[in-house]
């Protein structure tokens, strides 16, 4: 009798293990999103910034369905490798820029995510963090929330403007940072980059 109970117990455990493997584990068939090579092939374009023509690269991101978007960055900015699907990272003299996608849980709003999750995280992890401004704006007809803050790195003061743009599935997040002494001069260029953003599935 005890052998039968042990056998049933072992078979039950094995069945539960197989069920887990097929539902959540290595046999689940879950596909990890990968960057679409087309997303990394920019198109050269010209944009007027402060009455001057500036050479830009237009990137058409095709990494995640329902989240296709276009954004332009200056051709002189140096592209950096990014491990996140749907994102770009750049550096330039005295600053940096990036664009990416942010999944926001269904049980919250984009604004609540910014104020209750992202900003508290900055306070803990970003050296010298202090908020300069927060506002709701519109980016090409999309609701957006913009957080501007001060930080320090390697003994220098930086100012960052981080814009969260509402989308159908994910939100887009555009981050533009410069040394505080250069930030005012960079504003027209930063504004041009932000205004170049377009969702392509709306």
């Amino acid at each position: 009798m005890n052998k039968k109970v042990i056998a049933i117990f072992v078979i039950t455990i094995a069945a539960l293990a197989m069920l887990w493997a097929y539902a959540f584990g290595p046999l689940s068939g879950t596909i990890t999103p990968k960057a679409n090579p087309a997303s990394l092939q920019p198109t050269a374009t010209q944009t007027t910034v402060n009455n001057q023509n500036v050479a830009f690269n237009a990137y058409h991101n095709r990494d995640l369905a329902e989240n296709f978007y276009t954004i332009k960055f200056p051709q002189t900015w140096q592209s950096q490798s990014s491990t996140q699907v749907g994102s770009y990272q750049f550096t330039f003299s005295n600053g940096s820029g990036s664009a990416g996608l942010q999944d926001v849980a269904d049980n919250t709003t984009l604004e609540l995510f910014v104020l209750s999750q992202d900003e508290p995280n900055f306070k803990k992890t970003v050296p010298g963090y202090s908020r300069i401004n927060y506002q709701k704006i519109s980016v090409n007809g999309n609701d957006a929330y913009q957080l501007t803050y001060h930080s320090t790195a390697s003994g220098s003061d930086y100012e960052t403007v981080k814009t969260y743009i509402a989308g159908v599935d994910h939100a887009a997040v555009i981050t533009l940072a410069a040394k505080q002494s250069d930030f005012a001069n960079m504003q027209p260029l930063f504004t041009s980059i932000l205004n170049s953003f377009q969702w392509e599935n709306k």
Side-chain angles (χ1 to χ4, degrees), residues 4 98 110 113 147 163 166 187 198:
K4 286 184 181 179
S98 67
L110 180 55
F113 170 80
L147 182 63
T163 307
Q187 276 291 80
Q198 295 269 2

Side-chain angles (χ1 to χ4, degrees), residues 16-46:
L16 288 172
M18 287 298 290
L19 180 63
W20 176 87
Y22 276 102
F24 306 107
L27 303 178
S28 66
T30 302
I31 299 172
T32 303
K34 294 183 179 178
N36 184 335
S39 300
L40 302 175
Q41 302 300 320
T43 304
T45 184
Q46 294 281 324

Side-chain angles (χ1 to χ4, degrees), residues 89-147:
Q89 293 181 347
F90 298 89
T91 58
F92 59 93
S93 178
N94 295 332
S96 62
S98 67
L101 297 170
Q102 174 67 55
D103 190 17
V104 178
D106 293 337
N107 62 353
T108 189
T109 65
L110 180 55
E111 184 171 25
L112 280 175
F113 170 80
V114 174
L115 297 177
S116 67
Q117 295 183 48
D118 240 21
E119 186 177 27
N121 186 50
F122 296 155
K123 290 178 180 177
K124 295 176 185 175
T125 59
V126 176
Y129 176 87
S130 64
R131 183 201 286 187
I132 296 170
N133 189 34
Y134 173 80
Q135 60 183 335
K136 180 178 180 181
I137 63 171
S138 178
V139 176
N140 288 321
N142 301 289
D143 286 343
Y145 302 92
Q146 192 171 75
L147 182 63

Side-chain angles (χ1 to χ4, degrees), residues 41-45 56-60 70-73:
Q41 302 300 320
T43 304
T45 184
F56 274 74
N57 280 328
Y59 291 85
H60 301 271
T70 298
I71 191 165
K72 299 176 184 178
F73 285 100

Side-chain angles (χ1 to χ4, degrees), residues 1-24:
M1 185 71 175
N2 286 339
K3 289 183 179 179
K4 286 184 181 179
V5 171
I6 292 171
I8 291 171
F9 180 74
V10 170
I11 290 169
T12 302
I13 295 297
L16 288 172
M18 287 298 290
L19 180 63
W20 176 87
Y22 276 102
F24 306 107

Side-chain angles (χ1 to χ4, degrees), residues 56 70-73 137-140 144 146 161-165 173-176 187-198:
F56 274 74
T70 298
I71 191 165
K72 299 176 184 178
F73 285 100
I137 63 171
S138 178
V139 176
N140 288 321
Q146 192 171 75
V161 59
K162 191 163 189 173
T163 307
Y164 304 77
I165 305 168
V173 182
I174 301 170
T175 306
L176 300 163
Q187 276 291 80
L189 184 61
F190 285 178
T191 300
S192 181
I193 294 168
L194 183 61
N195 289 338
S196 75
F197 178 87
Q198 295 269 2

